[in-house]
Amino acid sequence: MTVTTQFDYTPYAADYASRPDYVSEVITATLAVAGVAPGDLVCDVGAGSAHLTIPLLENGLRVDAVEPTQAMREVGEGRTQGMAGVQWFEGFGEATGRPGDTYPLVTFGSSFDRTDRPAALRETARILKPGGWFACCWNHRDLEEPFQARIEDLIKQHIPGYDYGTRRADQTPAIEASGLFETPVVISGRMTRQVSSDVWCDAWSSHSTLGQQAGEKFDDVLAGIRGLVGAERRDHVDVPYVTKMWVARLRGRNAR
Ligand SMILES: C[S@@+](CC[C@H](N)C(=O)[O-])C[C@H]1O[C@@H](n2cnc3c(N)ncnc32)[C@H](O)[C@@H]1O
């Protein structure tokens, strides 16, 4: 199977490490639902900057981290250097290159929307052990909080029709449509992250959904965001966000 990334993360790799972590309770709840225990080997797909790989390792799991983009893989390898139990591989959600019937859990941290989802679900089913679990998650900024709403207004002034696409969509229909998984459990947790104003402005440079849709207006949007943040005259921004995770169990083999 020939697979290419629909979108190249290389230009965003350097800034990706400063993206927010996932809410840790959402990850521990996911591991409890999936019934994985320290020492188990899981596969983290689209592992990139290792924002999901690292908490999986910190929970005592061993992780095969699969990532198609060399620049992102280098960020992840750098951030997990010296951590026990991790191995990095080149591969795609649709074609991981990992052996079949291997993992009790396959995870996608902000990467499932970057795949051909039906193909990625088929590949996940292939590499999962019988009764294993698929999980995908994203961090969603609370766009209704007043300051974040102003940022959204600014973005939409520059990019009419700006759309977060499938990354903010309910993943349940796509998971159920595959016929491969049971109805997912949805787990979410809220957090407010206090971020230095400079770091937060810099982090927008790695916002691939925005960069992709802004095209040549990207620098103007980034400058506009800097302007709004600067006008607040605060050294930090309180960023409210929710980590949302879909966790679905593989159906019995005879249901495929
Ligand atoms: C938003 S980043 C997420 C990185 C990391 N997992 C995290 O949680 O922050 C999305 C990642 O998906 C990767 N990606 C793009 N296309 C992919 C595909 N077809 N299969 C798997 N990963 C893909 C990108 O290279 C990038 O590293």
Side-chain angles (χ1 to χ4, degrees):
M1 178 178 187
T2 305
V3 186
T4 54
T5 50
Q6 296 166 14
F7 176 70
D8 183 9
Y9 269 78
T10 305
Y12 302 94
D15 293 308
Y16 230 93
S18 58
R19 302 282 290 200
D21 291 329
Y22 299 110
V23 173
S24 59
E25 290 83 357
V26 172
I27 294 173
T28 49
T30 300
L31 302 183
V33 168
V36 291
D40 285 346
L41 178 64
V42 307
C43 187
D44 185 31
V45 181
S49 44
H51 279 98
L52 186 53
T53 313
I54 290 173
L56 293 172
L57 291 167
E58 287 172 344
N59 275 279
L61 296 160
R62 293 176 297 128
V63 182
D64 283 353
V66 172
E67 165 59 42
T69 309
Q70 185 180 344
M72 289 296 280
R73 221 167 35 246
E74 285 170 3
V75 173
E77 283 172 333
R79 294 186 75 215
T80 56
Q81 200 167 25
M83 296 185 82
V86 63
Q87 274 193 281
W88 285 85
F89 300 92
E90 183 175 1
F92 296 84
E94 302 88 332
T96 60
R98 307 315 310 142
D101 287 355
T102 300
Y103 304 98
L105 172 66
V106 174
T107 57
F108 291 72
S110 309
S111 55
F112 187 47
D113 58 310
R114 293 302 178 183
T115 67
D116 170 342
R117 291 183 298 166
L121 289 168
R122 284 194 298 275
E123 172 67 354
T124 298
R126 183 188 71 78
I127 65 175
L128 279 174
K129 286 181 173 171
W133 293 76
F134 158 85
C136 62
C137 68
W138 289 265
N139 277 335
H140 293 161
R141 245 175 340 111
D142 178 355
L143 306 183
E144 287 173 14
E145 185 267 343
F147 183 65
Q148 299 301 325
R150 285 169 55 206
I151 298 275
E152 289 309 294
D153 287 345
L154 174 120
I155 292 172
K156 285 178 181 154
Q157 278 164 21
H158 284 277
I159 317 167
Y162 179 62
D163 177 15
Y164 284 97
T166 48
R167 71 184 301 278
R168 273 186 181 259
D170 180 8
Q171 304 300 316
T172 303
I175 295 167
E176 287 184 329
S178 73
L180 295 168
F181 294 89
E182 293 171 4
T183 300
V185 176
V186 183
I187 303 169
S188 65
R190 177 175 287 275
M191 188 164 165
T192 298
R193 183 186 183 225
Q194 197 174 84
V195 197
S196 123
S197 298
D198 285 341
V199 168
W200 198 62
C201 289
D202 288 347
W204 279 94
S205 314
S206 71
H207 198 301
S208 54
T209 305
L210 179 62
Q212 194 173 14
Q213 291 178 48
E216 58 189 21
K217 293 185 190 159
F218 195 30
D219 286 343
D220 292 342
V221 180
L222 296 180
I225 292 172
R226 271 186 201 285
L228 280 183
V229 173
E232 292 289 295
R233 298 188 179 284
R234 296 175 70 198
D235 62 358
H236 70 270
V237 182
D238 291 315
V239 188
Y241 66 90
V242 172
T243 297
K244 203 157 178 191
M245 181 88 78
W246 284 257
V247 195
R249 185 177 191 166
L250 187 63
R251 284 182 187 275
R253 293 289 188 222
N254 53 9
R256 278 198 209 174

